[in-house]
């Protein structure tokens, strides 16, 4: 039987490609008739995610087409507080900005080359029934697919499927909305700068974030009131307040509300939850899509090992242990950011005002100006698959060892020790003898 991946967004696409890489047949289903053609949506793809996409063939093109900004400017009202220049170096950039729609197109092109992936649009999944040998997947039109396992990448609105699994999705939703607008314009000097504005004169009391994207496209995020309506807004005036008289065209626009939620379980028997179906978080720090792709990699290699008889089904419980902990950590970090960006209490508002005012003249508080902490790979130090107390245990392997480290469980001799590397390039253990390494391998 195949594995069914529900949801043909970037997390579902990545899951299918990774399963196919491990030799697993996959049916990739989506309730939509076709892909949404435009829209920046999740734009920032981190270095570790580029590594994952390199392993399935798509990483080089995504890296080449993406844009890496080098300077982060932060403003408060009419004052630039500080600018940070990001370090460069390494064989891959620390991240690239590329629209989600273009990323999906590139992943689609690699899926089309993969005979182990069967893509089916117009397949809205309405039922998941498990038994001892598999999962019966029922679609709205009555079609039934039998699967050995299901990876649920159905997005934030998969309430019925989560409920059928007895999974709650607890958390909070923020009242304020955010208006996203992708514009195409010639803005000299802005092409490699990210600009964050606290309380600017042209959006008083709220924030604006501007990200450069390829093709002279800029994504602008305005924080707007809960009752905001784009239909009655002076969008032209908003844009003109930022870019002046420069000619521009609107590529795409949308309004959304931030949520902070985590599924109570990310594994229920033969069903694994991944991406927005399992966790929602504010986008500041680019932790949504990036953590979803990490979910995909973690799920894929473990399902493959179980199906190939190399590991027992109990291995799948470590998916929940590791990725649920990662989701909770991302929620904690993004909640801290949202408490600064959108303070909910008088104490939070006073704290933010004090920090921003002090930052006008005191560099020592720059680090407390929280406009988002960039995503980084979550360490699996407390995982049952991590052994020993070596500082590298539970982390991604160092960059100089990463090439070739996604080809299965392996032992690498490095720095007078034996490094046991998982199929996702995480370090399971660092030991001093091959006998110890074999002992660790046997626990997979």
């Amino acid at each position: 039987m195949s594995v069914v991946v529900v949801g043909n967004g970037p997390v579902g696409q990545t899951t299918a490609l990774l399963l196919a890489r491990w030799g697993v047949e996959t049916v990739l289903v989506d309730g939509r008739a076709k892909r949404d053609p435009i829209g920046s949506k999740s734009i920032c793809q981190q270095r570790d995610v580029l590594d994952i996409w390199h392993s399935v063939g798509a990483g080089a093109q995504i890296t080449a087409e993406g844009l890496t900004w080098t300077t982060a400017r932060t403003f408060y009202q009419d004052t630039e507080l500080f600018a940070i220049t990001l370090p460069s170096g390494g064989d891959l950039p620390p991240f690239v900005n590329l629209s989600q729609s273009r990323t999906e197109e590139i992943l689609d092109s690699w899926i089309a080359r993969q005979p182990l992936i069967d893509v089916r649009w117009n397949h809205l999944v309405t039922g998941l029934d498990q038994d001892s040998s598999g999962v019966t997947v029922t679609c709205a039109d009555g079609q039934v697919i039998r699967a050995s396992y299901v990876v649920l990448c159905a997005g934030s609105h998969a309430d019925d499927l989560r409920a059928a699994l007895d999974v709650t999705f607890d958390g909070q939703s923020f009242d304020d909305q955010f208006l996203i607008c992708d514009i195409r314009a010639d803005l000299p000097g802005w092409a490699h700068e990210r600009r964050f504005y606290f309380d600017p004169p042209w959006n008083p009391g709220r924030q604006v974030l501007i990200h450069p994207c390829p093709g002279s496209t800029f994504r602008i995020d305005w924080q707007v009131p809960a009752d905001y309506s784009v239909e009655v807004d002076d969008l032209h005036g908003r844009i003109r307040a930022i870019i002046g008289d420069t000619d521009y065209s609107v590529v795409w626009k949308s309004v959304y509300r931030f949520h902070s939620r985590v599924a109570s379980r990310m594994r229920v028997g033969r069903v694994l939850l991944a991406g927005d179906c399992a966790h929602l978080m504010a986008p500041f720090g680019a932790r949504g899509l990036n953590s979803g792709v990490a979910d995909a990699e973690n799920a894929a290699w473990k399902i493959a090992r179980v199906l190939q008889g190399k590991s027992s089904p109990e291995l799948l419980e470590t998916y929940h242990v590791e990725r649920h902990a990662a989701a909770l950590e991302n929620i904690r970090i993004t909640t801290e950011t949202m408490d600064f960006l959108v303070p909910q209490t008088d104490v939070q508002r006073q704290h933010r005002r004090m920090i921003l005012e002090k930052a006008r003249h005191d560099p020592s508080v720059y680090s407390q100006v929280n406009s988002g902490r960039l995503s980084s790979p979550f360490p699996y130090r407390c995982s049952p698959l991590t052994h020993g107390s070596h500082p590298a245990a539970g982390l991604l392997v160092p960059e100089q060892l990463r090439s070739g480290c996604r080809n299965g469980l392996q032992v690498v001799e490095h720095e007078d020790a034996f490094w046991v590397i998982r199929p996702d390039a995480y370090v399971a253990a660092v030991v001093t003898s091959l006998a110890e390494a074999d002992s660790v391998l046997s626990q997979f």
Side-chain angles (χ1 to χ4, degrees):
M1 288 183 289
S2 302
V3 171
V4 169
V5 177
V6 182
N8 197 349
V11 175
Q13 291 172 289
T14 303
T15 303
L17 283 165
L18 287 164
L19 285 166
R21 180 174 181 264
W22 294 116
V24 177
E25 292 185 1
T26 304
V27 180
L28 177 57
V29 301
D30 197 292
R32 296 171 294 171
K34 60 181 180 179
R35 189 170 301 290
D36 302 328
I38 60 172
S40 57
K41 301 181 183 177
S42 295
I43 61 170
C44 186
Q45 333 298 358
Q46 297 290 124
R47 158 62 198 267
D48 53 300
V49 168
L50 296 177
D51 273 331
I52 294 170
W53 284 334
H54 268 273
S55 74
V56 297
Q61 187 175 359
I62 292 173
T63 302
E65 292 192 19
L67 179 151
T68 302
W69 48 265
T70 56
T71 303
R73 299 190 181 277
T74 301
F75 301 81
Y76 173 47
Q77 296 177 341
D78 56 357
T79 302
E80 181 173 353
L81 298 180
F82 54 86
I84 297 174
T85 300
L86 301 184
S88 59
D91 58 338
L92 285 175
F95 61 87
V96 297
N97 279 4
L98 187 65
S99 72
Q100 180 174 324
S101 57
R102 181 56 187 150
T103 298
E104 289 173 342
E105 287 179 348
I106 294 171
L107 293 173
D108 275 341
S109 71
W110 285 90
I111 287 172
R113 308 176 204 187
Q114 181 48 260
L116 293 177
I117 302 175
D118 177 8
V119 178
R120 303 182 189 179
W121 298 98
N122 284 313
H123 280 63
L124 177 64
V125 174
T126 57
L128 300 169
D129 297 297
Q130 304 187 54
D131 57 41
S132 61
S133 61
V135 186
T136 300
V137 180
T138 304
C139 299
D141 62 359
Q143 293 192 58
V144 173
I145 308 170
R146 187 67 176 161
S148 53
Y149 292 95
V150 170
V151 184
L152 201 54
C153 311
S156 60
H157 300 297
D159 298 325
D160 291 345
L161 294 176
R162 281 191 295 262
L165 296 168
D166 199 25
V167 170
T168 61
F169 204 39
D170 298 328
Q172 64 174 317
S173 299
F174 295 90
D175 289 335
D176 270 14
Q177 300 184 91
F178 282 78
L179 164 67
I180 307 175
C181 190
D182 296 344
I183 67 167
R184 189 166 289 120
D186 182 16
L187 298 173
W190 289 34
H192 293 280
E193 293 185 356
R194 185 226 69 174
R195 293 171 171 239
F196 197 103
Y197 296 84
F198 289 97
D199 192 19
W202 26 268
N203 198 39
R206 293 181 166 87
Q207 279 66 247
V208 175
L209 172 63
I210 305 172
H211 263 284
C213 295
S216 298
T217 299
F218 296 84
R219 168 173 164 160
I220 309 176
D221 291 56
W222 290 267
Q223 181 189 352
V224 292
D227 60 355
Y228 171 84
S229 171
V230 71
E231 285 75 18
V232 299
D233 186 28
D234 178 14
L235 182 59
H236 177 71
R238 283 185 179 275
I239 295 170
R240 281 278 173 250
I242 296 174
I243 69 171
D245 295 331
T246 301
D247 290 339
Y248 75 91
S249 60
V250 174
V251 179
W252 176 75
K253 62 181 182 292
S254 182
V255 179
Y256 65 103
R257 179 171 279 111
F258 289 164
H259 307 275
S260 180
R261 299 184 181 278
V262 180
S264 55
R265 289 282 303 172
M266 290 180 64
R267 179 220 176 188
V268 180
R270 291 176 172 268
V271 180
L272 308 184
L273 285 71
D276 285 355
C277 186
H279 42 72
L280 288 175
M281 56 202 70
F284 300 105
R287 293 172 182 269
L289 174 57
N290 289 293
S291 63
V293 171
D295 293 344
E297 182 173 44
N298 196 294
W301 73 263
K302 291 173 180 177
I303 290 173
R305 283 190 64 87
V306 171
L307 287 177
Q308 293 161 1
K310 297 177 181 178
S311 296
S312 74
E314 283 70 32
L315 177 67
L316 299 179
E317 183 59 19
T318 67
Y319 170 77
H320 168 76
V321 171
E322 293 178 347
R323 297 310 304 161
H324 194 257
L328 291 175
E329 175 68 0
N330 282 324
I331 290 291
R332 182 189 67 78
I333 293 171
T334 55
T335 297
E336 288 179 355
T337 297
M338 290 305 290
D339 286 345
F340 193 84
L341 297 182
V342 190
Q344 303 296 303
T345 67
D346 287 341
V347 171
Q348 291 175 347
R349 282 186 281 272
Q350 291 168 7
H351 171 73
R352 188 181 95 140
R353 190 178 303 113
M354 181 269 292
I355 293 297
L356 290 172
E357 289 291 347
K358 193 172 183 181
R360 291 182 188 270
H361 53 80
D362 184 356
S364 70
V365 301
Y366 288 173
S367 63
Q368 297 180 58
V369 177
N370 190 345
S371 59
R373 312 301 189 199
L374 279 175
S375 175
S376 58
F378 180 75
Y380 298 142
R381 294 196 184 277
C382 297
S383 168
L385 300 181
T386 300
H387 304 272
S389 58
H390 191 279
L395 305 181
L396 272 177
V397 296
E399 187 173 324
Q400 66 268 30
L401 293 180
R402 208 166 295 172
S403 177
C405 277
R406 283 185 158 88
N407 296 322
L409 278 173
Q410 55 190 294
V411 177
V412 176
E413 191 169 359
H414 177 64
E415 295 181 345
D416 299 321
F418 297 97
W419 294 50
V420 182
I421 312 298
R422 302 171 12 159
D424 54 3
Y426 271 82
V427 180
V430 179
V431 295
T432 58
S433 71
L434 283 174
E436 291 175 285
D438 287 341
S439 177
V440 173
L441 290 173
S442 69
Q443 298 181 48
F444 285 83

